[in-house]
Amino acid sequence: MEALREDERPEPLVYTMQVATKLLQLSPNTLYIMRREGKLRTVTIAGRIRVPAEEIARLLREGDGSEVTRGDNMKPENKLARKKG
């Protein structure tokens, strides 16, 4: 059987937690916390935790729902307090 060329290989359907940490540029601890809090959907296959590719895409598209507290996304009253202080 002939090996597939790299451009012929299908995209992965799932990633290991280790690969997911690299793709999302987050620490393993952060991903396990997100998983425990229900912010990261995973599947267990043969006792191994995997992150579906569509979940990586969703996080990159939507984030995890955490409040952003810097830049233009700050609440107006916090911007004023920062300017005064």
Side-chain angles (χ1 to χ4, degrees), residues 63-80:
D64 71 351
S66 296
E67 185 177 331
V68 176
T69 58
R70 65 176 199 275
D72 292 333
N73 294 320
M74 283 183 68
K75 295 176 183 174
E77 61 271 18
N78 291 341
K79 286 183 181 181
L80 292 174

Side-chain angles (χ1 to χ4, degrees), residues 2 16 30 39 58:
E2 194 174 316
T16 64
T30 298
K39 294 179 178 182
R58 183 195 67 78

